[in-house]
Amino acid sequence: MFRSLSVVNYRIWFAGALVSNVGTWMQRTAQDWIVLTQLTDYNATAVGIVMALQFGPQLVLMPWSGLIADRFDRRKLLMLTQALMGALALGLGLITITGVVELWHVYLFALGLGVVAAIDAPARQTFVSELVPDDNLSNAVALNSASFNGARLIGPAAAGLLTVAVGAGWVFMINAVTFAFTVAAMTLLRTKQLRKQPRAPRERGQLMAGFRYVWHRPDIVAVLITVFLVGTFGFNFAIFTSTMATVEFGMGASEFGMLSSIMAVGSVVGALLSARRSRPRMRLVVGGAFFFGLTCAIAAVMPSYITFAISLAFVGLTSLTLMTTANAYVQTTTEPAMRGRVMALYMAIFAGGTPLGAPLVGWVADQYGPRWAIGVAAVSGLLAAAAVLFWMIRYQRLRVRIRPRTSPRTARLHVRHRGDGHPLTSAIRIVTAKADAARQDRDRETATREIAVVEATAPR
């Protein structure tokens, strides 16, 4: 499960990223809180606009950010982007502490952070391939997700307590300091042990090459459809948790932060379970989307704060199973020279859909209540699962058959398809040991009769 941590460079990277991730979750929580309670009168639409400005640049800058990640030294690029994000957190913290912050200031800083993050995301995603061998790449991707969501256990809860105790401005200042840990980790890496990946050539047409590559990979297209639907309409957790905590249950900042931490428990479990798998599978993407929709539907009808918090753990489990599998599948099946551009497209579809979905989900929460907003997330997961299932049945020849035998205990479930990027046919059998032995006896008897017939009819 933790085999990637045996690599020295990955351990250094993992430690620096973990500290930075804690700060990131602290800032997200404090930022959403001051927008919802201090700068507006519980306006969920404003929270959605902040999310849209923060994630929108990934959609606009995606072609260039992916090419930058494929062409330049990713280690030096990450040092630059992390330093810039630290400076932005410092600026937001200063104007918040001095009491001059207004809503448009938060919008502006969210946009600036989104622009830098658009360059940072594909480089950070693909840099993992330089830290670990190819056979550990899927495991490293899953551990990165565990780190990011493990930080969610600490960050939101700490942000909720600190916001009450000293104010949101100091939370932003702390986040600025945490970016220094990532920069320090990048300087400590053993550069001679990095696995340099092929760089994109300096020639015309490289921007469109990523799109052409994905267009000819229908399996990746299916994953991207799932990521778009769920990322756009389902992964608006800041809106769900903030409005449910305040509007529906009448809670404060610490209870709001606790909801994100409880969700992170399930997210960490989902990421660690993904780390145990040697290879990501398409069927896990479909199953993850379906169960994400199901758990969101259950969360939407929970009657109390406690039951809602418990249901969020399962939402976190299913969401991370889905996204970690999708991320690992795209990375491990993409050619190294194209990985930056493909991951930029992946991140653009995942995060760039937020400008479309977050304001809409915020509007639903304002007009009809937060439970209906979570219902939108549930529908997105179920639609994503249905869309990819249709694609696999129509184009990948997915077939599911149940063959009953002499007893209900001897049924066989066969799942046959050409998905997962492999031409192989997979089959799942559900049989009892006794029934299996009986089948072997019948097969031997049939084979004996066939041999006898052949001997009797063969010409002498």
Side-chain angles (χ1 to χ4, degrees), residues 164-310:
V164 174
V166 296
W170 288 104
V171 176
F172 302 144
M173 299 291 283
I174 293 171
N175 182 43
V177 175
T178 64
F179 282 108
F181 283 85
T182 304
V183 176
M186 302 299 288
T187 61
L188 293 174
L189 291 177
R190 301 178 183 181
T191 55
K192 293 183 178 179
Q193 296 181 14
L194 292 176
R195 302 175 64 253
K196 296 297 183 182
Q197 300 295 313
R199 299 287 173 82
R202 294 179 177 272
E203 59 186 29
R204 297 180 63 181
Q206 290 304 305
L207 284 177
M208 296 303 299
F211 291 99
R212 290 194 297 269
Y213 179 85
V214 171
W215 181 254
H216 290 92
R217 286 287 306 274
D219 54 332
I220 293 182
V221 172
V223 173
L224 294 182
I225 291 172
T226 303
V227 169
F228 172 75
L229 289 172
V230 176
T232 301
F233 302 105
F235 277 40
N236 296 291
F237 299 131
I239 298 175
F240 306 149
T241 56
S242 62
T243 54
M244 285 292 286
T246 56
V247 177
E248 193 69 22
F249 300 122
M251 299 295 180
S254 58
E255 290 85 0
F256 163 49
M258 191 60 66
L259 288 179
S260 295
S261 297
I262 292 172
M263 182 183 289
V265 173
S267 300
V268 171
V269 173
L272 291 178
L273 288 176
S274 298
R276 297 182 61 184
R277 303 184 185 99
S278 59
R279 187 171 59 187
R281 300 283 189 176
M282 183 71 79
R283 54 179 170 264
L284 275 177
V285 176
V286 179
F290 173 78
F291 284 107
F292 171 74
L294 182 62
T295 53
C296 282
I298 294 172
V301 298
M302 288 294 101
S304 66
Y305 176 85
I306 297 298
T307 56
F308 177 70
I310 294 172

Side-chain angles (χ1 to χ4, degrees), residues 112-445:
L113 185 62
V115 171
V116 180
I119 306 298
D120 177 87
R124 178 164 36 85
Q125 293 285 332
T126 54
F127 184 63
V128 179
S129 62
E130 299 187 20
L131 299 173
V132 298
D134 289 340
D135 55 352
N136 282 349
L137 182 56
S138 178
N139 176 258
V141 170
L143 290 180
N144 279 354
S145 296
S147 168
F148 186 72
N149 289 278
R152 200 195 301 181
L153 289 169
I154 305 170
L161 295 174
L162 288 171
T163 299
V164 174
V166 296
W170 288 104
V171 176
F172 302 144
M173 299 291 283
I174 293 171
N175 182 43
V177 175
T178 64
F179 282 108
F181 283 85
T182 304
V183 176
M186 302 299 288
T187 61
L188 293 174
L189 291 177
R190 301 178 183 181
T191 55
K192 293 183 178 179
Q193 296 181 14
L194 292 176
R195 302 175 64 253
K196 296 297 183 182
Q197 300 295 313
R199 299 287 173 82
R202 294 179 177 272
E203 59 186 29
R204 297 180 63 181
Q206 290 304 305
L207 284 177
M208 296 303 299
F211 291 99
R212 290 194 297 269
Y213 179 85
V214 171
W215 181 254
H216 290 92
R217 286 287 306 274
D219 54 332
I220 293 182
V221 172
V223 173
L224 294 182
I225 291 172
T226 303
V227 169
F228 172 75
L229 289 172
V230 176
T232 301
F233 302 105
F235 277 40
N236 296 291
F237 299 131
I239 298 175
F240 306 149
T241 56
S242 62
T243 54
M244 285 292 286
T246 56
V247 177
E248 193 69 22
F249 300 122
M251 299 295 180
S254 58
E255 290 85 0
F256 163 49
M258 191 60 66
L259 288 179
S260 295
S261 297
I262 292 172
M263 182 183 289
V265 173
S267 300
V268 171
V269 173
L272 291 178
L273 288 176
S274 298
R276 297 182 61 184
R277 303 184 185 99
S278 59
R279 187 171 59 187
R281 300 283 189 176
M282 183 71 79
R283 54 179 170 264
L284 275 177
V285 176
V286 179
F290 173 78
F291 284 107
F292 171 74
L294 182 62
T295 53
C296 282
I298 294 172
V301 298
M302 288 294 101
S304 66
Y305 176 85
I306 297 298
T307 56
F308 177 70
I310 294 172
S311 69
L312 286 184
F314 294 95
V315 173
L317 170 64
T318 55
S319 64
L320 255 292
T321 299
L322 166 62
M323 299 315 297
T324 300
T325 305
N327 187 310
Y329 180 86
V330 173
Q331 286 216 54
T332 55
T333 61
T334 300
E335 295 178 8
M338 300 295 300
R339 194 168 285 153
R341 279 160 286 181
V342 174
M343 287 309 299
L345 180 58
Y346 175 94
M347 295 303 297
I349 290 175
F350 173 51
T354 301
L356 302 175
L360 175 61
V361 172
W363 178 82
V364 171
D366 286 335
Q367 296 297 317
Y368 303 102
R371 295 186 184 276
W372 285 101
I374 304 176
V376 173
V379 172
S380 73
L382 298 176
L383 283 179
V388 181
L389 270 178
F390 171 79
W391 176 84
M392 293 181 72
I393 293 170
R394 178 67 178 82
Y395 298 103
Q396 296 296 101
R397 301 179 185 176
L398 175 68
R399 297 293 183 269
V400 179
R401 291 183 296 170
I402 299 178
R403 292 182 177 177
R405 299 183 67 181
T406 57
S407 165
R409 298 180 60 195
T410 61
R412 288 184 185 177
L413 173 67
H414 290 263
V415 181
R416 300 181 179 276
H417 63 94
R418 295 175 56 197
D420 291 344
H422 304 284
L424 260 233
T425 296
S426 62
I428 302 172
R429 295 182 180 179
I430 305 175
V431 295
T432 62
K434 182 178 180 180
D436 198 37
R439 178 184 59 80
Q440 293 176 4
D441 291 340
R442 286 196 300 272
D443 290 346
R444 283 194 294 269
E445 183 180 349

Side-chain angles (χ1 to χ4, degrees), residues 27-28 31-36 39-40 43-57 92 102-114 238-239 354-355 358-359:
Q27 172 152 335
R28 286 188 180 183
Q31 178 178 274
D32 294 336
W33 182 255
I34 65 169
V35 169
L36 190 67
L39 302 178
T40 69
N43 189 334
T45 304
V47 178
I49 292 173
V50 170
M51 294 176 64
L53 291 171
Q54 193 162 319
F55 294 107
L92 182 58
E102 296 181 15
L103 184 59
W104 70 270
H105 292 147
V106 179
Y107 287 165
L108 188 62
F109 275 95
L111 178 62
L113 185 62
I239 298 175
T354 301

